[in-house]
Amino acid sequence: SNLLLATAFSVSSHPNIIRSSSKSRTSPLRSTARHHENDITEASVVSSKQSIISTRREALARTAASLLVGASPLGFDPHQSLAADNVGNANKGNDEGMVSQSKLASLLKKIPTFAIVDSRGVPFFVVGEDAKLTSYFFLNYGEAKRILDVAISSADKAIKATKKEIKAKNNGVLTKEDKEEIGTNPWKNARITSVSLDLAVSLASKGKLGGGYFRLAPSESDIEDALALDGTDDLPEGKVPLFYVEDMTISEGAEPLYFQKDQLMMEWQRQKKKQPSGGEDKTELPNVKVTELFGTLTEMIRPGGTDEELKKLQFVAPAGSKARAEQCQKGEKEPFRLGERLIVL
């Protein structure tokens, strides 16, 4: 039988071992959303060589190159992300891009992400076939909830199957020692908390941290929308699609980048209705394009950049995510604890 481990790591470790009769799959998955679901339920990670290629004039067009590799090292300081007072104190120099790191941090801080943690705020990590410990920041609360529900259900089934297997070998007897060894479902103590995107990006951009990785996880529907627009087969794990319409602006001339295509379409239709008719067909759909978060961020802070439009970019939080973040954080003493982790194999 495979082993399902739930271990809290700090100064010491406390293992709780659950035998599981489930088998891991190795078949390719269509979307990143299914990557982290598969990690949690069957301990496998499927990587993809495909990428989303994007264009938004010359600036966003250059983000395509970064999609072919891992998350770009943005040089964020996690301590700056954790302390709002420090964000504005970043040193300005000749090596800064069109957008300063302090300005970029303030833009990202407005966007909530969602993480699966225990009652003390310790994040859950899953281990895939590539032996990489990974914890996810979900861009959508619904996706975090869906994944947690899948994890709870899968672990319940694994525990039930293990008990049945042991009883079959021991003439229907399940001893106290067997129950202690099987343990309880580690995911039932999990909850969803909210972490700002500036911290999530900072941690994800660092690569391997303390033996584990942090990755951003868009929802399955957003990935499908991006793939349909771009015509590729898959999105590398950890990459986040952004949707936009060229020359579309919102308040104060900002050029919006959306994490959800539907949200973009709603805003575009709202603006279209307010415009005078002028003989134009208001039912005509816009040319929605797609780019990628990490490539865009890299371009915004790239030293020597000259594209003034980068200063106008604004990230728009997924609909309802700010309200969900407030709900998650009510009564929390510590939303997200760094330095400890819960590992599930």
Side-chain angles (χ1 to χ4, degrees):
S1 301
N2 295 327
L3 291 181
L4 177 61
L5 304 181
T7 308
F9 281 80
S10 52
V11 177
S12 60
S13 62
H14 307 281
N16 177 26
I17 302 176
I18 301 175
R19 291 198 190 114
S20 168
S21 60
S22 63
K23 297 180 180 179
S24 61
R25 285 198 300 257
T26 57
S27 58
L29 301 179
R30 176 166 170 74
S31 71
T32 304
R34 296 196 189 100
H35 284 185
H36 49 71
E37 177 179 329
N38 204 47
D39 288 348
I40 289 173
T41 60
E42 302 187 54
S44 66
V45 173
V46 179
S47 62
S48 169
K49 295 182 180 178
Q50 299 294 334
S51 64
I52 284 184
I53 306 301
S54 58
T55 58
R56 186 189 182 95
R57 310 220 173 143
E58 290 186 4
L60 297 190
R62 282 193 291 267
T63 68
S66 69
L67 296 176
L68 303 177
V69 296
S72 303
L74 302 179
F76 272 57
D77 182 350
H79 297 292
Q80 288 183 334
S81 300
L82 288 168
D85 292 339
N86 292 336
V87 172
N89 296 329
N91 293 327
K92 293 185 177 181
N94 296 328
D95 58 343
E96 283 196 342
M98 296 304 297
V99 179
S100 68
Q101 289 198 18
S102 60
K103 173 63 175 177
L104 186 57
S106 68
L107 291 174
L108 297 178
K109 199 173 186 66
K110 300 174 184 177
I111 312 297
T113 70
F114 301 91
I116 299 175
V117 299
D118 73 353
S119 59
R120 298 186 304 116
V122 178
F124 279 78
F125 281 73
V126 293
V127 182
E129 286 186 339
D130 59 359
K132 289 183 178 180
L133 290 174
T134 305
S135 186
Y136 294 96
F137 294 108
F138 298 91
L139 273 300
N140 181 283
Y141 174 86
E143 184 71 1
K145 181 66 166 60
R146 184 182 76 84
I147 292 299
L148 179 55
D149 289 344
V150 168
I152 292 173
S153 175
S154 297
D156 278 343
K157 290 178 181 178
I159 291 171
K160 184 178 180 180
T162 300
K163 289 180 178 179
K164 184 177 180 180
E165 181 182 339
I166 293 176
K167 285 182 178 180
K169 292 180 179 179
N170 297 334
N171 297 320
V173 176
L174 190 66
T175 67
K176 181 180 179 180
E177 289 74 15
D178 290 331
K179 292 179 181 179
E180 290 178 352
E181 185 177 3
I182 293 171
T184 58
N185 187 337
W187 296 103
K188 287 190 174 179
N189 293 321
R191 61 183 173 87
I192 298 173
T193 189
S194 180
V195 176
S196 62
L197 184 57
D198 65 324
L199 176 58
V201 165
S202 176
L203 293 173
S205 300
K206 296 297 182 180
K208 193 173 184 178
L209 286 172
Y213 296 82
F214 289 95
R215 288 186 175 133
L216 271 63
S219 70
E220 184 173 358
S221 61
D222 295 329
I223 293 171
E224 294 294 338
D225 284 341
L227 296 178
L229 287 171
D230 187 65
T232 50
D233 295 329
D234 208 348
L235 178 70
E237 188 173 26
K239 296 298 182 179
V240 179
L242 295 170
F243 303 92
Y244 67 95
V245 173
E246 285 192 0
D247 299 322
M248 176 178 170
T249 60
I250 50 177
S251 59
E252 299 180 356
E255 298 184 1
L257 296 173
Y258 291 85
F259 294 91
Q260 297 175 321
K261 179 188 172 185
D262 289 346
Q263 190 178 8
L264 163 62
M265 292 298 295
M266 288 181 64
E267 174 59 22
W268 184 86
Q269 290 168 355
R270 186 190 69 81
Q271 292 188 17
K272 196 73 173 176
K273 288 179 181 179
K274 287 188 173 183
Q275 294 175 357
S277 58
E280 294 182 4
D281 182 6
K282 291 193 175 185
T283 62
E284 183 181 356
L285 296 177
N287 181 20
V288 179
K289 297 186 178 181
V290 61
T291 187
E292 198 277 329
L293 175 64
F294 284 96
T296 301
L297 299 181
T298 301
E299 196 62 32
M300 291 173 77
I301 63 172
R302 182 175 61 86
T306 58
D307 195 325
E308 292 289 333
E309 282 199 357
L310 291 171
K311 296 180 179 180
K312 301 178 183 179
L313 296 181
Q314 181 173 313
F315 304 100
V316 181
S321 62
K322 291 183 178 180
R324 281 291 190 180
E326 291 178 0
Q327 292 175 5
C328 290
Q329 292 175 341
K330 282 183 179 179
E332 287 185 334
K333 293 182 179 179
E334 189 170 4
F336 193 80
R337 182 187 290 262
L338 287 172
E340 296 183 54
R341 63 192 179 203
L342 283 160
I343 300 176
V344 179
L345 281 108

